[in-house]
Amino acid sequence: MPHAIAEGLAIFAAGLAAGTINTVVGSGTLITFPTLLAFHYPPVLANVSNNVGLVPGVMSGVHGYRAELSGQRDRVLTLGAASLCGGLVGAILLLVLPADAFKAIVPALIGIALVMVVIQPWLARWVAGRQQPRNGGDGRDPADGGGGGAAAGGPVLWLLVFCTGIYGGYFGAAQGVLLIGLLGIAFTDSLQRVNAVKNVLAGVVNGTAAIVFIACTHVAWGAVALIAAGSVLGGQLGARVGRRLPPWGLRLVIVCVGTAALVKLLA
């Protein structure tokens, strides 16, 4: 098989896996970013192209979770503003800081992301256990008749979502895990409804950063197209059947690929 075809198939497959993982858990960047590094894309170009390519997949996941967004309009608008501002700041930081700074920082960011992926099951259990005594275990907020859609969480949550957006605009791996933790602590909704909002906020961050990158820097459009095509299919897969996939399997893939990327960057 010619090298170019093999490379294209690998990048498409990485996009498919990342789209599925982003919808269900988050951290799909830990699949696509190392794949681009493996094909000798410079780290900043790989990060930028990865971000732009994953945006359609995130939007696909948002569409798949549209039913769970019912009644959460005010929450999405309020926290979406924090994600937009944070994503803008993070994208600008990536462009204005020297490329060497990103090369030095990204191993630490990958390490943090891997830790977040590993502790995500514990975090989800802790959030679910915290919700049950507050709402009788049905995932509904008695204050508003179900779902807690009217509550946006207050200024502290807004600031934390803004900071998560900065991280997401700069690099983005495991920002979904961070958001799940923050939203799960702040709200009494079921985890599926929290996950739906997480998908929207991550999409706002990625979309904002993508606009900045397209306008201000070089993007590898071939890689973007392959990741986008794969991630759109993965987003639908994650929304429809991703809940049935073994979480430990997805997590194992993320940890293995992320660890390989970390070794490559530190070598």
Side-chain angles (χ1 to χ4, degrees), residues 109-155:
L109 296 179
I110 290 177
I112 292 170
L114 289 174
V115 170
M116 293 300 299
V117 170
V118 170
I119 70 171
Q120 191 271 339
W122 173 85
L123 182 63
R125 286 194 297 269
W126 182 80
V127 168
R130 180 178 178 275
Q131 289 172 330
Q132 288 178 0
R134 292 167 60 185
N135 56 34
D138 63 356
R140 297 169 67 86
D141 187 341
D144 66 4

Side-chain angles (χ1 to χ4, degrees), residues 3-262:
H3 176 74
I5 296 177
E7 177 179 330
L9 289 175
I11 294 174
F12 173 82
L16 178 65
T20 302
I21 291 167
N22 275 342
T23 303
V24 179
V25 180
S27 309
T29 287
L30 288 176
I31 302 294
T32 44
F33 179 71
T35 300
L36 294 180
L37 291 182
F39 290 111
H40 308 294
Y41 286 79
V44 173
L45 178 61
N47 188 43
V48 166
S49 303
N50 170 70
N51 181 292
V52 177
L54 286 178
V55 170
V58 175
M59 295 298 101
S60 177
V62 169
H63 181 264
Y65 266 86
R66 62 192 180 280
E68 285 83 357
L69 288 170
S70 176
Q72 302 197 80
R73 179 177 177 274
D74 291 344
R75 176 179 297 170
V76 167
L77 289 176
T78 300
L79 297 179
S83 291
L84 188 151
C85 295
L88 181 62
V89 172
I92 292 172
L93 287 176
L94 180 67
L95 297 182
V96 301
L97 292 177
D100 289 343
F102 180 78
K103 292 179 182 178
I105 293 170
V106 75
L109 296 179
I110 290 177
I112 292 170
L114 289 174
V115 170
M116 293 300 299
V117 170
V118 170
I119 70 171
Q120 191 271 339
W122 173 85
L123 182 63
R125 286 194 297 269
W126 182 80
V127 168
R130 180 178 178 275
Q131 289 172 330
Q132 288 178 0
R134 292 167 60 185
N135 56 34
D138 63 356
R140 297 169 67 86
D141 187 341
D144 66 4
V156 173
L157 179 63
W158 196 98
L159 180 61
L160 291 173
V161 171
F162 168 74
C163 292
T164 303
I166 295 175
Y167 169 76
Y170 187 82
F171 182 55
Q175 73 162 319
V177 178
L178 293 171
L179 287 170
I180 283 284
L182 291 175
L183 300 176
I185 292 168
F187 305 128
T188 60
D189 300 77
S190 70
L191 289 178
Q192 292 295 349
R193 283 174 60 81
V194 168
N195 194 44
V197 177
K198 176 268 289 183
N199 286 337
V200 174
L201 299 183
V204 170
V205 171
N206 286 4
T208 301
I211 292 172
V212 174
F213 296 150
I214 291 170
C216 300
T217 191
H218 175 62
V219 177
W221 286 108
V224 166
L226 291 167
I227 291 174
S231 67
V232 167
L233 294 177
Q236 290 301 304
L237 179 65
R240 293 188 180 188
V241 303
R243 300 182 184 98
R244 304 175 187 173
L245 298 175
W248 64 265
L250 291 175
R251 199 165 291 108
L252 180 62
V253 171
I254 294 170
V255 170
C256 289
V257 175
T259 300
L262 196 58

